[in-house]
Amino acid sequence: MLVLRAVIEDYIRTQEPVGSGALTRGHKLGVSSATVRNDMAALEDEGYLIQPHTSAGRIPTEKGYRYFVDKLATVVPLSKAQKRGIRSFLSGSVSLDDTLRRSAQLLAQITGQVAVVASPSLARSALRHIELVPVSTVTLLMVIITDTGRVEQRTIIVADRPGDAEIAAIGSHVNAISMGKSLRRASADVHASAQEEPAGTSRALIEAIAKVLDEMATQERTSNLYMAGTSQLAHGQSADMNVIAPLFDALEEQVVLMKLMTTLSEVTQSHGVGIAIGSETHTPGLLNASVVTSGYGQSTAGDEDDDATGSSATGSEPVAFVGSIGPTHMDYATTISAVRAVARYLTEVIANEEDPDADPDGAA
């Protein structure tokens, strides 16, 4: 296994087949070159290495990378200076969207790969406040603010709009029964409260609000994606267009990418992140690529009996993900450390959105 780790580390660094002589010279393995050759042959027989040409050295297989990531890779946490650099760069953001955009740019710079950051999903967010703003005699603007700092606007058209004082009272009533709940739970509770109202303008408006919340919960199953690093990956020293071209095609399929990275972020694997290598992505364009991702934030929305299946949120699910996509010979140690660091910072940001009085620099 020491030989396997040495082969993979050398191949990640050089992208050239690794021979026994280079391993003996470059690593203190404590054995002869002949023993290393025998070990490499055994690793090839077991499917961890492959010899691309008869006279060439060996390169890792997908199985080899998986074992390396799970058992052999040594991930060194980012230094305090690096963490301060991340915090300094991201703390200059003017909004949550700006923070997410900067996070993607920063992660791409650190790894030299494609960085993908998803905005917090409305479906996993808890409601903080709803504002009703009269716009015309038949139109209101409904502003929805979540605990993750996301702001959405929807237009409500009613045949007979209540007066301003009544609208304000309805807004207070809806906030009282919605605060801290998921969109779906809030929709159900608001709809139930409407049934207690006598037929009229107030009931019609409350039902319209419930409908908006339900539509948002139903339709919002994907988030905005912030992506960076495609150019530097394409022009990097190790760029292989046979690998890069299909990867770029896969990046265009954002729904597929969202599903893959969301699933990975929910299942923590090695080193506190989710990792899919090659065929594990179940995506044709990523057969020669690896994906490293981590969830950030934590859902606080109360979702008891959230859907017809009776599933409920436990509060342990991340609200979104941050990840890096690159060739299978990526520098896993650096990528894992960077993804974890950015995810932790974004979790702090989301926590501070939930608590406006929190100290943004209080977390380590």
Side-chain angles (χ1 to χ4, degrees):
M1 291 304 101
L2 291 176
V3 170
L4 176 61
R5 178 164 61 188
V7 170
I8 294 178
E9 289 176 347
D10 282 7
Y11 186 70
I12 287 173
R13 187 177 67 254
T14 67
Q15 283 88 64
E16 295 289 340
V18 181
S20 58
L23 290 184
T24 304
R25 292 190 300 271
H27 299 267
K28 297 179 180 179
L29 298 175
V31 294
S32 67
S33 180
T35 299
V36 172
R37 278 196 300 274
N38 290 336
D39 285 349
M40 292 177 73
L43 289 167
E44 185 177 1
D45 290 340
E46 295 175 19
Y48 293 101
L49 300 177
I50 189 173
Q51 191 172 27
H53 306 291
T54 305
S55 59
R58 269 82 167 187
I59 64 175
T61 63
E62 188 177 299
K63 180 180 178 180
Y65 282 123
R66 170 48 66 186
Y67 193 89
F68 173 78
V69 167
D70 289 344
K71 306 290 186 181
L72 305 177
T74 301
V75 178
V76 180
L78 298 183
S79 67
K80 290 184 178 180
Q82 290 172 316
K83 291 179 180 178
R84 283 197 299 270
I86 291 176
R87 187 176 298 278
S88 175
F89 180 74
L90 296 182
S91 63
S93 305
V94 297
S95 65
L96 178 60
D97 285 346
D98 190 30
T99 298
L100 300 178
R101 189 176 294 106
R102 285 173 175 245
S103 297
Q105 294 170 349
L106 179 64
L107 185 57
Q109 290 173 6
I110 295 173
T111 64
Q113 297 160 177
V114 176
V116 182
V117 181
S119 62
S121 169
L122 283 177
R124 295 188 178 183
S125 302
L127 287 172
R128 176 188 287 176
H129 185 72
I130 294 174
E131 189 74 22
L132 299 174
V133 182
V135 176
S136 71
T137 55
V138 295
T139 307
L140 292 94
L141 179 66
M142 180 175 168
V143 182
I144 303 97
I145 305 173
T146 73
D147 61 342
T148 59
R150 189 162 172 180
V151 180
E152 293 290 321
Q153 298 180 359
R154 297 292 188 273
T155 300
I156 297 178
I157 298 177
V158 291
D160 188 9
R161 200 200 80 185
D164 290 356
E166 192 173 353
I167 290 174
I170 291 173
S172 297
H173 170 68
V174 169
N175 276 301
I177 61 178
S178 299
M179 185 178 298
K181 297 178 181 177
S182 70
L183 292 170
R184 188 178 295 280
R185 183 72 265 171
S187 171
D189 289 352
V190 172
H191 179 74
S193 74
Q195 306 312 303
E196 300 174 359
E197 296 284 333
T201 56
S202 293
R203 178 172 177 172
L205 178 54
I206 296 173
E207 288 180 336
I209 293 171
K211 183 179 179 181
V212 168
L213 294 175
D214 184 62
E215 289 175 348
M216 291 174 64
T218 302
Q219 297 171 5
E220 173 71 28
R221 293 304 179 186
T222 61
S223 311
N224 294 326
L225 286 182
Y226 297 89
M227 197 174 298
T230 53
S231 177
Q232 63 194 67
L233 181 63
H235 295 93
Q237 293 182 350
S238 62
D240 180 348
M241 290 314 297
N242 292 325
V243 174
I244 300 300
L247 191 156
F248 284 172
D249 290 339
L251 294 178
E252 294 292 327
E253 301 292 334
Q254 292 200 0
V255 174
V256 175
L257 197 62
M258 174 74 70
K259 182 178 180 180
L260 167 64
M261 300 188 79
T262 298
T263 301
L264 280 176
S265 69
E266 294 171 351
V267 183
T268 301
Q269 300 174 8
S270 305
H271 312 293
V273 297
I275 303 174
I277 303 172
S279 64
E280 296 172 355
T281 65
H282 304 291
T283 304
L286 300 178
L287 290 179
N288 294 305
S290 290
V291 179
V292 178
T293 187
S294 175
Y296 71 84
Q298 189 177 71
S299 173
T300 59
D303 256 8
E304 295 82 0
D305 299 323
D306 190 41
D307 55 33
T309 64
S311 62
S312 62
T314 63
S316 61
E317 291 183 334
V319 297
F321 63 79
V322 54
S324 184
I325 304 174
T328 52
H329 59 257
M330 69 165 60
D331 183 342
Y332 289 95
T334 297
T335 301
I336 291 169
S337 294
V339 167
R340 287 193 314 196
V342 173
R344 286 170 180 167
Y345 182 87
L346 291 177
T347 296
E348 292 178 23
V349 170
I350 296 300
N352 290 332
E353 288 287 353
E354 295 176 13
D355 181 3
D357 298 323
D359 178 4
D361 293 319

